[in-house]
Amino acid sequence: MDLVGLRVPLVNEAAKELAYNLVVAVNTTYSIASGIYNSVPGASIVYKYVKASHQNDPFRTLLEGLLLAFMIWYWVAKRYKPGTEKFKLTDKEIDELCEEWEPEPLVPELTEMQKIELERTPVIVGPAGPKVTLLNGKTVLNVASYNFLGVMNSERVKEKAVETLRKYGVGTCGPPGFYGTLDVHQELEAKLAEFVGAESAIIYSQAFSTIASALPAFAKRGDIIVADDGVNFAIQKGLASSRSVIKFYKHNDMEDLERVLKQVQAEHVKRKKPLTRRFLVSEAVSQNYGDIAPLPDLIALKNKYKYRLILEESLSFGVLGKRGAGLADHFDISASEVDIMSASMANSLASGGGFVCGSAEIVEHQRLAGQAYTFSASLPAILAVSAIEAIQVISDNGQLLKQLRDNILTVRSSLSQLFSSPDSAVVMSPSSDRDLNSPVIHLRLRKHLANRSDEEKLLQEVVDLCLKDGVLVARAKYAHSQELHLPASSIRLLVTGGHSKKEAEKVADVVKGAFKRVLKTMK
């Protein structure tokens, strides 16, 4: 049998065709890849980089390859969305979950001290003033309100308020920029600027919002604010809203202030930071401590280090100075030295709202940038006219300021007899001679008790005894969880010129007597 004709080929036709197709596919892929490689700008540079990198560090090539693979997987992989997976619960399971569920409380539970405080809060019947009548019919002397000059009970102011109510009605129902500006608003702004000695003024409809809105109207993110660490809560909110870089210095400590200013300057030079706006913020009469800010020193430092001075004067306007025009008047300094001056009209003027004084540019800027001005209904006409008349009453009657200062001296002198001794259990602040004209007096324990709650209970006992003896006083209240630098617990006395000398003496005697009785029970 001839086996030559029966030779079987080593590779059949199917294998040949497969090999041929594979070669064609490889060549085609190479051609396409080569074309893409040549068309992509910088491809040769990437190739050289990968080649050199692999030769120098093969592990790095592996790591970069894995990272590239992960990126491709991340973008291609299916996204997981929380809540897309559905679980079927039985009716029984749903009922059990509903029975176990307890909603979170809208507000935290009241503390024992807060419950006591609410139960003992006195309720006033009739008009407020230097003397008030309580719900139980008892009339007491009032040193818990900011009616420093007694203007709240001025017959002139009351008559003007009644006339205004009949002419303008109750409210405006519109922001100043949207048909809420009245002629009496413009008149009040002109009166305030003239009284303070500033170029211009702008009024806000709420006292708290005035400084809290004025600060972020000028200071923005990246700007620098150097502020007193004892400023009141409204200023703190303004600082937070500005989102600026905030630096604090010790309360009314000019040496520490200059230390902070030098530190800021050194950081600026070292890091070559771009030039930003810089502000110095202080409070004329401290709400938390009662002392008076050293304005001449503040002005000297702000000029030396090129800062703008923002001064909050809610407790000094109508109180300090020959005319009652505030801190600049007190130190006989031009009001123009203070770049931005803010104050409440709810204190000495016994009205409502607040105002800001400064140059015309500073005032006009706030008409669009001051959020509380732009988005709040304007001040009711009755309050604007009451403030105008109160300014006139203060200007016409210098005896009001004299009576206030006499009463401050009477109360301070009497209290210092008991509380100025180093052995006294109670500290009176302020106690410096430069603060003699401040109507704000704080009384604090020299030695703190085990916890703040115990101190507040003790001080509340003093408040209750004073009320029982015919004097309305109050503890200083703070938002504990939000205060940047929480002051120690205290009783805050607000001296008024609406009292006679004998009534001022009674206030001091009652407060001293209450402290003596409460402290005696502690021993």
Side-chain angles (χ1 to χ4, degrees), residues 254-321:
M254 295 300 99
E255 289 184 4
D256 192 57
L257 170 58
E258 185 159 23
R259 178 192 64 79
V260 174
L261 295 176
K262 286 180 178 178
Q263 184 182 39
V264 171
Q265 189 178 51
E267 289 177 1
H268 177 78
V269 173
K270 181 179 179 181
R271 300 183 183 181
K272 297 180 180 180
K273 292 183 177 180
L275 188 63
T276 59
R277 288 168 293 196
R278 299 178 180 185
F279 301 91
L280 186 57
V281 178
S282 185
E283 195 174 3
V285 172
S286 173
Q287 184 176 357
N288 295 334
Y289 300 97
D291 49 349
I292 298 173
L295 184 60
D297 296 332
L298 288 171
I299 291 174
L301 289 173
K302 77 111 175 176
N303 290 333
K304 180 178 178 180
Y305 292 94
K306 311 303 180 187
Y307 279 67
R308 294 179 176 91
L309 178 60
I310 300 178
L311 196 61
E312 213 289 324
E313 296 215 43
S314 290
L315 302 182
S316 59
F317 178 73
V319 174
L320 296 183

Side-chain angles (χ1 to χ4, degrees), residues 98-327:
C98 289
E99 289 176 2
E100 294 173 359
W101 179 74
E102 291 185 6
E104 288 288 333
L106 292 176
V107 294
E109 187 177 351
L110 292 177
T111 64
E112 183 184 352
M113 188 63 223
Q114 289 172 329
K115 292 177 181 178
I116 293 173
E117 188 176 338
L118 289 173
E119 290 172 359
R120 299 179 183 177
T121 300
V123 178
I124 297 173
V125 178
K131 296 178 184 177
V132 293
T133 302
L134 303 180
L135 191 60
N136 59 11
K138 185 177 182 179
T139 300
V140 295
L141 299 176
N142 182 10
V143 285
S145 67
Y146 296 94
N147 181 29
F148 296 126
L149 299 175
V151 175
M152 185 188 297
N153 305 97
S154 169
E155 291 300 324
R156 284 174 55 178
V157 175
K158 289 179 182 179
E159 289 171 7
K160 280 289 184 180
V162 172
E163 291 175 15
T164 306
L165 183 62
R166 289 174 176 157
K167 180 179 179 180
Y168 291 89
V170 177
T172 60
C173 295
F178 297 92
Y179 315 107
T181 298
L182 305 176
D183 55 345
V184 291
H185 292 152
Q186 295 177 331
E187 183 183 352
L188 174 57
E189 289 175 347
K191 282 280 187 184
L192 286 166
E194 179 186 5
F195 185 73
V196 171
E199 184 180 351
S200 191
I202 181 174
I203 58 172
Y204 287 76
S205 55
Q206 190 188 36
F208 185 93
S209 299
T210 302
I211 188 63
S213 179
L215 271 169
F218 296 99
K220 306 295 183 182
R221 187 188 298 275
D223 293 339
I224 296 173
I225 298 178
V226 178
D228 189 307
D229 67 3
V231 293
N232 63 45
F233 193 58
I235 298 176
Q236 293 176 36
K237 287 302 174 186
L239 295 175
S241 299
S242 73
R243 297 177 296 177
S244 302
V245 177
I246 313 296
K247 304 284 187 179
F248 288 101
Y249 65 93
K250 295 177 183 177
H251 177 60
N252 278 348
D253 187 333
M254 295 300 99
E255 289 184 4
D256 192 57
L257 170 58
E258 185 159 23
R259 178 192 64 79
V260 174
L261 295 176
K262 286 180 178 178
Q263 184 182 39
V264 171
Q265 189 178 51
E267 289 177 1
H268 177 78
V269 173
K270 181 179 179 181
R271 300 183 183 181
K272 297 180 180 180
K273 292 183 177 180
L275 188 63
T276 59
R277 288 168 293 196
R278 299 178 180 185
F279 301 91
L280 186 57
V281 178
S282 185
E283 195 174 3
V285 172
S286 173
Q287 184 176 357
N288 295 334
Y289 300 97
D291 49 349
I292 298 173
L295 184 60
D297 296 332
L298 288 171
I299 291 174
L301 289 173
K302 77 111 175 176
N303 290 333
K304 180 178 178 180
Y305 292 94
K306 311 303 180 187
Y307 279 67
R308 294 179 176 91
L309 178 60
I310 300 178
L311 196 61
E312 213 289 324
E313 296 215 43
S314 290
L315 302 182
S316 59
F317 178 73
V319 174
L320 296 183
K322 298 175 183 177
R323 301 179 297 107
L327 194 60

Side-chain angles (χ1 to χ4, degrees), residues 49 59-75:
Y49 164 76
F59 178 74
R60 180 178 175 180
T61 305
L62 176 63
L63 180 61
E64 289 178 346
L66 291 174
L67 289 174
L68 180 62
F70 174 76
M71 290 174 62
I72 295 172
W73 171 82
Y74 180 80
W75 288 109

Side-chain angles (χ1 to χ4, degrees), residues 443-458:
L443 300 173
R444 292 183 166 95
L445 297 179
R446 187 179 297 276
K447 293 182 180 180
H448 296 300
L449 301 183
N451 56 66
R452 189 181 184 93
S453 179
D454 291 340
E455 284 190 28
E456 291 181 345
K457 287 179 182 178
L458 185 145

Side-chain angles (χ1 to χ4, degrees), residues 139 141 469-471 501-511:
T139 300
L141 299 176
D469 292 339
V471 177
K501 182 178 181 180
K502 186 173 281 189
E503 289 169 337
E505 290 173 347
K506 179 182 177 180
V507 167
D509 290 340
V510 167
V511 171

Side-chain angles (χ1 to χ4, degrees), residues 15-88:
K16 287 182 179 180
E17 186 176 356
L18 177 63
Y20 176 78
N21 290 336
L22 183 62
V23 171
V24 170
V26 170
N27 288 336
T28 303
T29 303
Y30 176 78
S31 299
I32 293 172
S34 179
I36 295 174
Y37 171 79
N38 292 326
S39 63
V40 175
S44 59
I45 297 174
V46 174
Y47 171 74
K48 290 178 182 178
Y49 164 76
V50 173
K51 183 179 179 181
S53 174
H54 179 72
Q55 289 176 349
N56 296 332
D57 188 1
F59 178 74
R60 180 178 175 180
T61 305
L62 176 63
L63 180 61
E64 289 178 346
L66 291 174
L67 289 174
L68 180 62
F70 174 76
M71 290 174 62
I72 295 172
W73 171 82
Y74 180 80
W75 288 109
V76 174
K78 183 179 179 182
R79 296 286 188 274
Y80 169 72
K81 296 182 180 179
T84 55
E85 297 182 11
K86 296 182 180 180
F87 296 94
K88 185 70 175 177

